[in-house]
Amino acid sequence: MKTKTVPIDLAHRSYDIRIASGILGDEREFLDWIRGHQILAITNEVVGPLYLEELKKALPGKEVVEVVLPDGEQHKSLETVAEVFDRMLAVPLDRQVTVVALGGGVIGDLSGFVAACYQRGVGYIQVPTTLLSQVDSSVGGKTAVNHASGKNMIGAFYQPLRVIADLSTLRTLEPRQFSSGMAEVIKYGLINDPEFFAWLEENIGSVMDLDEAALAHVIERSCLNKARVVEEDEREQGVRALLNLGHTFGHAIETATGYGPWLHGEAVGLGMLMAARMSALQGWVGESDFVRIRNLLRKAGLPTEPSKDFTAKDLRSGMKTDKKVLAGKVRFILMQGIGKAFVCDDYDETALNRTLEEFAAG
């Protein structure tokens, strides 16, 4: 298939997202964006055996230093970052090093944070290998690690040199991981693209069957949606906050369950349904739209039922340390219908409490 390009226009920090099948090992996608001789390839023990050698084919003549981390959200921590810095300094790697993030959202977030901090900033390239990372976390320059008190609380805005999304990597994803990524895809439809939401309703079967044309459309449309928002508000001072639809609830679920039992997209998917329910309780979302949202999430393989994995009290505690808390008030991204999300800090506490009680245990 023809390679699709989605540009991110951020003046001197601009870059392209490249979308195609089989480009991970193509040196033309990499070498013009690498300044020095040294490469730090950060991956994990699941992705590394599948794609690290293919990546190295795209880096001829380069000194490639490999860091293979354990898999899982629980390893996106300052302790892991310190281990990576130890390896970089032991080599040593100089200021011309380029960090290449080969993996999903955890690897991308952590690698970007490492690149932002090492010797006050070195270049990095995102090579996302999961649906979630291809449509969301690799795009826009958010880098971070987790803290025991909250998700992504320690990080930086730091843009990559390029994003290379190889569709063929999605064929090695476990179905649960693919479904996790679908939460972020559905999110774009709910925020400001009702036509895309309707397209997903009509084509969800082809997407879940990994039809290549459907996947290419999903990734391109998602990246275009995110590009428009990031270009307008790179550092999340305004409209970019809309990209957090479902994340206030979702991050609280992840924090309450210890960054592991629930995948990020699973927590965000249920979080979006909770946001829809909270909006419905305030008369902003009709029952028919709520049912459409729930049905699409279900067809994407995402959780939509109440869970015993956390309590309403757990979620309230987690929300207190959310990055969207302002002057002690938790802000939510809520909806006035499909494709009409907005930032809300003036909401009915009763609606929030009822939502928590409906979806959590006790």
Side-chain angles (χ1 to χ4, degrees):
M1 64 173 288
K2 183 180 178 181
T3 301
K4 297 176 180 289
T5 301
V6 177
I8 307 290
D9 186 4
L10 295 170
H12 66 280
R13 297 179 305 286
S14 298
Y15 57 94
D16 288 337
I17 305 165
R18 300 281 284 170
I19 305 164
S21 185
I23 56 174
L24 194 155
D26 188 344
E27 66 184 70
R28 295 169 297 180
E29 297 290 342
F30 289 86
L31 294 185
D32 287 347
W33 286 265
I34 294 174
R35 293 179 297 171
H37 177 66
Q38 296 177 315
I39 305 290
L40 178 70
I42 303 178
T43 187
N44 67 32
E45 59 195 8
V46 173
V47 176
L50 295 171
Y51 299 116
L52 189 53
E53 290 305 312
E54 186 73 11
L55 172 68
K56 289 162 72 173
K57 291 178 184 177
L59 304 168
K62 301 296 183 181
E63 176 191 355
V64 180
V65 177
E66 304 170 11
V67 172
V68 180
L69 300 174
D71 184 34
E73 183 81 27
Q74 65 270 34
H75 301 291
K76 198 173 90 171
S77 64
L78 284 173
E79 290 77 15
T80 303
V81 167
E83 292 173 8
V84 176
F85 286 150
D86 288 345
R87 180 69 187 280
M88 296 176 80
L89 293 166
V91 174
L93 298 177
D94 60 34
R95 298 188 74 177
Q96 297 296 308
V97 66
T98 300
V99 176
V100 178
L102 177 65
V106 170
I107 290 296
D109 283 5
L110 185 145
S111 299
F113 184 58
V114 165
C117 295
Y118 188 69
Q119 300 201 33
R120 298 191 177 94
V122 298
Y124 82 109
I125 294 173
Q126 289 270 16
V127 186
T129 61
T130 66
L131 180 63
L132 188 148
S133 57
Q134 289 185 3
V135 302
D136 186 69
S137 62
S138 70
V139 180
K142 278 189 175 182
T143 76
V145 294
N146 300 329
H147 188 275
S149 297
K151 185 178 171 69
N152 293 333
M153 294 302 292
I154 303 165
F157 288 95
Y158 195 67
Q159 301 296 340
L161 302 171
R162 170 164 269 214
V163 178
I164 299 169
D166 189 331
L167 300 180
S168 64
T169 63
L170 301 180
R171 299 197 174 277
T172 56
L173 272 184
E174 294 180 357
R176 186 183 171 202
Q177 289 282 353
F178 187 85
S179 290
S180 177
M182 283 302 298
E184 298 288 359
V185 172
I186 293 168
K187 177 188 76 176
Y188 293 113
L190 291 175
I191 290 171
N192 62 5
D193 195 346
E195 293 82 8
F196 184 41
F197 188 91
W199 183 92
L200 287 169
E201 289 179 302
E202 291 292 324
N203 295 276
I204 188 65
S206 296
V207 175
M208 300 307 291
D209 288 340
L210 306 185
D211 176 81
E212 192 167 274
L215 287 176
H217 178 72
V218 159
I219 294 167
E220 181 182 29
R221 186 72 169 253
S222 297
C223 289
L224 284 168
N225 270 299
K226 187 159 188 180
R228 288 198 297 264
V229 174
V230 171
E231 288 167 356
E232 183 176 344
D233 180 21
E234 181 182 0
R235 299 181 70 86
E236 200 171 308
Q237 300 301 305
V239 69
R240 186 167 180 173
L242 296 178
L243 295 173
N244 291 312
L245 175 65
H247 286 61
T248 300
F249 291 115
H251 286 173
I253 290 170
E254 289 183 274
T255 301
T257 55
Y259 305 123
W262 282 64
L263 297 179
H264 175 67
E266 292 172 333
V268 168
L270 189 63
M272 290 192 298
L273 190 59
M274 294 172 73
R277 180 60 174 151
M278 185 172 167
S279 300
L281 288 169
Q282 295 177 99
W284 301 332
V285 168
E287 180 63 20
S288 61
D289 278 351
F290 178 80
V291 170
R292 287 178 67 192
I293 294 166
R294 185 180 61 198
N295 287 346
L296 184 57
L297 290 167
R298 283 177 177 169
K299 290 177 181 178
L302 290 160
T304 59
E305 299 299 324
S307 175
K308 295 181 180 180
D309 291 346
F310 44 82
T311 66
K313 182 179 179 181
D314 291 333
L315 298 188
R316 288 190 188 93
S317 177
M319 288 188 291
K320 289 178 181 178
T321 56
D322 190 272
K323 298 185 297 300
K324 293 171 285 301
V325 172
L326 187 64
K329 179 81 170 180
V330 180
R331 293 183 299 163
F332 290 92
I333 311 304
L334 299 178
M335 289 173 275
Q336 292 176 322
I338 291 172
K340 298 179 181 179
F342 68 103
V343 180
C344 182
D345 56 11
D346 183 17
Y347 49 84
D348 184 349
E349 289 284 349
T350 302
L352 171 59
N353 292 332
R354 281 188 59 184
T355 300
L356 294 175
E357 290 163 4
E358 286 183 22
F359 285 90

